[in-house]
Amino acid sequence: MPSSSFLHSILLVSTLCFSGTLAGAESDFDWRKLHASKTLHWTPCYSAPLQCALLQVPMDYNAPQNEVTASIAIVRYPSTSPKSQYRGPLLFNPGGPGGSGVDAIVGAGAQFAMVFGEQFDVVGFDPRGVSYSTPTISFFKTEAERRFLIPSATNVLYSSFNASSSSLADTYASMQLLGQLAIANDPNGYLQHMSTDNIARDMLSITEAFGFEKLQYWGVSYGSVLGATFATLFPDKVGRLIIDGVEDMNAYYTANFTNDMLDTDKSMDTFYSGCAQAGPQACAFHAPTASQVAANLAALTASIKAQPIAVLTPQSHGILDYVFLRNAVLDALFDPYNSFAALAEGLAVLASGNATLLYAQNEVPTFECDCTVPAPKFHENNFEAYMAIACGDAVPVNDTLAQLQQFYEDGLKVSASFADLLLTTRVLCAGYKIRREGKFTGPVGAKNTSFPLLLVGNTFDPVTPHANAVKTSLLFPGSAVLTQDSVGHTTLVATSDCTFSYYRAYFVNGTLPAPGTVCSVDAELFPSSDPTAANGTAKRTTESLDDIKIREAASRIGSVVRKVLRRAL
Ligand SMILES: *[C@@H]1O[C@H](CO)[C@@H](O)[C@H](O)[C@H]1NC(C)=O
Ligand SMILES: *[C@@H]1O[C@H](CO)[C@@H](O)[C@H](O)[C@H]1NC(C)=O
Ligand SMILES: *[C@@H]1O[C@H](CO)[C@@H](O)[C@H](O)[C@H]1NC(C)=O
Ligand SMILES: *[C@@H]1O[C@H](CO)[C@@H](O)[C@H](O)[C@H]1NC(C)=O
Ligand SMILES: *[C@@H]1O[C@H](CO)[C@@H](O)[C@H](O)[C@H]1NC(C)=O
Ligand SMILES: *[C@@H]1O[C@H](CO)[C@@H](O)[C@H](O)[C@H]1NC(C)=O
Ligand SMILES: *[C@@H]1O[C@H](CO)[C@@H](O)[C@H](O)[C@H]1NC(C)=O
């Protein structure tokens, strides 16, 4: 098997840069010391005041008396309210599927508590099979085999149907192999139980282990599927439920992500128009009109496709090719306020013939692997978790190659700019054959939930368009939709006092925003470098210290969760 082309054809859902504060904290606690039990036994972990516990849950909720169990890793930032005001656990899921809720709360527990209210225990958990929860999902016998087939040190999140004439067929074959390895390495039949309906049941088990009846929850991205599935299965157990970055539920459960691309091209357009308007100071890839910026990027992309560039930096080395470049641009759309200006600079330098900057912006450490470690390595299974949960949840995909090609061509009508990357997910699911009989596959929705849901969408989100929040809201009568006027994936892309004040009012007081409420954000796509221009500092002078603290907390939550999400996507 030709390894390099094989690696490239894999849709990679694994580690990008993941370093700094989080990585340090993670290594500080050994989850293997804990014993799982049916009640919560808290142990101090990471840094005070965090506490950890392992909750034992049935592997199969249809056979709860069965001896085979799963262990859910749970961390809490405890409430500091007096007992009389204590409101129980507030669970968070950062998306993926495969994102670690533990990492999110370890990274920003104090800030969650500050924003949502100290009445709550802020709770992060790793869904069954994911990260510190066991059994760990793995398709491989050794870490070396895993790293050979799924290099976690790569800057390529998605493959592209447009990389070459054989891309689709190569990706299809690679995914068939991974799907067969999943079966071959699952002798106990655990993988069929790693499904969103069971994760929803686990969330109820966690809530009940705290001594509460109803779920309080905030979920972003895939966390929206988890939240909406919970509300479908347990409509009378909804205490408070916010979903943000809402997926198309039918799209998710049919592995057809076409409708998730409704705003992808509009998101891309904000780069072109924003750059044209910002001027050459703020946008290094500037041209006088949006269509000229677009044409310049297309020409640059074509030249890289014709001639990829080798790059060596002090930290690593690699090749900046078509798929790398396309991923760098798509990645910036997820987090535009923090990425657009840097992307423009990387592109401008690349256009002058120097690939180093754009490469370095998306750099990960040079491949290294301890070949002796048996798989699975604890806390390193994002790709397998994604494939097992997202594809195991969906109805079987039996498409022929010709049908998949047609599916891609139809998808180009929805997103001409990124269907070639985003729709590779269906090909991934075509390889995965493990599904539990009788598991939930939809339809999502409930006539009456015990508390109304709050759904939140950005004006232009490249992978969870605003229309999804509206559509999903119709499946839950009484629910409300809040709009954040921003570009990027989930409301965490930029700080908005307004959005967070609605979150807080919902959790603390049960207040829903009025229909049609739109929140603005405190951020610019291409920040002005002109010091005389109006800026955030001026309009903030009348604020209280609390407002400022909450904004800083919200900003920290945003950056921590973005990192977890980026790692899990
Ligand atoms: C595919 O690549 C070609 C260049 O080889 C380009 O002209 C075309 O626009 C690309 N299609 C998509 C959907 O990106
Ligand atoms: C995928 O979804 C789109 C949009 O709803 C639809 O037009 C298309 O027929 C679907 N394709 C498949 C293979 O289900
Ligand atoms: C390429 O760009 C990088 C970063 O901007 C710079 O450090 C380096 O000197 C450049 N290399 C060449 C050969 O110009
Ligand atoms: C795919 O094949 C499976 C088993 O062969 C079958 O049960 C299922 O209905 C098929 N799915 C579709 C969408 O045709
Ligand atoms: C919805 O359920 C709640 C209890 O969960 C009940 O009080 C209410 O009457 C129900 N509303 C409708 C319209 O059925
Ligand atoms: C909750 O309601 C009370 C009483 O109306 C109000 O004083 C408080 O500011 C509200 N809290 C939030 C977070 O909205
Ligand atoms: C903008 O903020 C900077 C500090 O970050 C400050 O020096 C400058 O005076 C501000 N400009 C205006 C117009 O308020």
Side-chain angles (χ1 to χ4, degrees):
M1 172 169 42
S3 68
S4 62
S5 68
F6 181 77
L7 296 185
H8 238 70
S9 63
I10 285 182
L11 168 99
L12 188 86
V13 191
S14 198
T15 312
L16 286 145
C17 298
F18 190 62
S19 56
T21 38
L22 281 179
E26 277 161 25
S27 53
D28 291 340
F29 184 67
D30 184 2
W31 283 88
R32 275 165 280 220
K33 299 195 300 217
L34 295 188
H35 294 286
S37 64
K38 287 180 182 156
T39 52
L40 293 168
H41 294 289
W42 297 107
T43 304
C45 57
Y46 301 99
S47 56
L50 294 175
Q51 299 172 331
C52 292
L54 270 184
L55 183 69
Q56 197 182 77
V57 294
M59 177 73 74
D60 180 355
Y61 277 91
N62 284 326
Q65 70 292 347
N66 200 315
E67 274 172 22
V68 185
T69 58
S71 301
I72 310 300
I74 303 172
V75 61
R76 73 166 167 181
Y77 187 94
S79 165
T80 52
S81 288
K83 219 169 180 167
S84 60
Q85 285 165 32
Y86 174 61
R87 298 273 297 273
L90 195 170
L91 275 61
F92 175 68
N93 179 275
S100 167
V102 167
D103 287 351
I105 300 309
V106 169
Q111 289 78 14
F112 272 84
M114 188 178 292
V115 170
F116 294 122
E118 57 288 346
Q119 299 93 327
F120 303 98
D121 281 336
V122 177
V123 174
F125 68 98
D126 288 344
R128 52 172 58 207
V130 171
S131 193
Y132 299 116
S133 291
T134 56
T136 311
I137 290 169
S138 177
F139 303 167
F140 309 103
K141 290 198 167 55
T142 65
E143 184 61 15
E145 182 189 15
R146 177 181 194 276
R147 294 291 296 267
F148 178 68
L149 293 175
I150 307 171
S152 55
T154 176
N155 5 47
V156 176
L157 193 62
Y158 295 98
S159 59
S160 164
F161 289 142
N162 198 32
S164 77
S165 59
S166 66
S167 302
L168 200 166
D170 289 346
T171 306
Y172 180 85
S174 306
M175 294 308 146
Q176 295 293 319
L177 179 61
L178 289 180
Q180 288 169 31
L181 286 172
I183 294 170
N185 288 289
D186 183 36
N188 300 314
Y190 292 157
L191 283 172
Q192 60 177 315
H193 299 291
M194 308 300 162
S195 53
T196 294
D197 56 351
N198 279 340
I199 300 169
R201 291 178 183 110
D202 292 341
M203 292 209 295
L204 186 58
S205 297
I206 295 169
T207 300
E208 289 173 348
F210 272 85
F212 284 73
E213 275 178 19
K214 290 180 182 165
L215 176 73
Q216 306 179 110
Y217 174 80
W218 179 36
V220 301
S221 196
Y222 157 79
S224 68
V225 176
L226 178 57
T229 300
F230 180 94
T232 304
L233 294 174
F234 306 110
D236 56 343
K237 302 284 184 196
V238 177
R240 299 278 189 277
L241 200 152
I242 300 183
I243 55 179
D244 169 12
V246 181
E247 295 198 25
D248 181 308
M249 300 300 154
N250 181 54
Y252 177 83
Y253 279 110
T254 59
N256 173 0
F257 301 91
T258 306
N259 276 340
D260 286 332
M261 305 190 300
L262 291 171
D263 288 342
T264 312
D265 289 3
K266 290 175 193 152
S267 303
M268 190 64 234
D269 288 344
T270 66
F271 177 82
Y272 301 140
S273 59
C275 181
Q277 279 160 25
Q281 288 292 326
C283 180
F285 199 62
H286 178 260
T289 66
S291 54
Q292 278 172 278
V293 179
N296 290 347
L297 179 56
L300 180 59
T301 306
S303 85
I304 290 298
K305 196 175 187 186
Q307 188 168 343
I309 303 176
V311 184
L312 270 82
T313 74
Q315 288 78 38
S316 78
H317 46 78
I319 292 173
L320 198 157
D321 62 5
Y322 177 76
V323 178
F324 183 111
L325 174 57
R326 305 268 295 133
N327 272 278
V329 176
L330 179 58
D331 199 45
L333 295 187
F334 280 70
D335 188 19
Y337 299 95
N338 296 297
S339 304
F340 271 8
L343 173 69
E345 220 182 319
L347 293 174
V349 175
L350 181 63
S352 76
N354 180 343
T356 309
L357 184 60
L358 190 72
Y359 181 85
Q361 286 167 352
N362 297 275
E363 185 168 31
V364 292
T366 300
F367 179 82
E368 267 179 22
C369 172
D370 180 350
C371 290
T372 62
V373 182
K377 207 171 141 200
F378 216 38
H379 192 242
E380 291 289 341
N381 65 339
N382 310 315
F383 177 88
E384 298 94 310
Y386 183 97
M387 193 169 185
I389 298 170
C391 299
D393 275 345
V395 297
V397 177
N398 306 327
D399 306 14
T400 61
L401 271 182
Q403 286 169 321
L404 287 168
Q405 179 67 31
Q406 187 60 49
F407 170 70
Y408 162 51
E409 282 164 23
D410 292 345
L412 284 172
K413 290 170 205 148
V414 178
S415 173
S417 61
F418 283 109
D420 61 317
L421 275 77
L422 293 172
L423 292 185
T424 50
T425 319
R426 186 172 178 83
V427 182
L428 178 96
C429 289
Y432 195 76
K433 307 293 183 196
I434 299 174
R435 278 163 193 86
R436 193 176 78 252
E437 195 145 330
K439 88 185 153 48
F440 178 82
T441 52
V444 166
K447 284 201 184 70
N448 184 18
T449 51
S450 48
F451 199 83
L453 275 55
L454 175 56
L455 301 97
V456 197
N458 286 356
T459 350
F460 296 135
D461 183 315
V463 285
T464 52
H466 189 267
N468 288 355
V470 175
K471 185 175 167 187
T472 306
S473 176
L474 297 176
L475 306 173
F476 293 98
S479 64
V481 174
L482 174 67
T483 302
Q484 180 170 291
D485 187 15
S486 57
V487 190
H489 184 40
T490 83
T491 58
L492 292 166
V493 290
T495 315
S496 166
D497 297 353
C498 169
T499 300
F500 272 96
S501 72
Y502 281 111
Y503 287 175
R504 193 177 164 90
Y506 176 82
F507 280 121
V508 174
N509 285 352
T511 316
L512 289 160
T517 302
V518 179
C519 283
S520 61
V521 296
D522 188 21
E524 291 173 88
L525 287 176
F526 291 92
S528 164
S529 47
D530 176 1
T532 59
N535 61 27
T537 326
K539 58 184 186 238
R540 286 180 202 163
T541 47
T542 57
E543 272 175 352
S544 72
L545 194 61
D546 275 2
D547 287 343
I548 293 166
K549 273 193 191 152
I550 286 182
R551 179 179 310 107
E552 283 168 4
S555 161
R556 166 79 186 172
I557 293 173
S559 71
V560 166
V561 175
R562 278 197 306 274
K563 266 189 202 154
V564 173
L565 197 60
R566 198 176 145 85
R567 182 175 196 254
L569 269 168

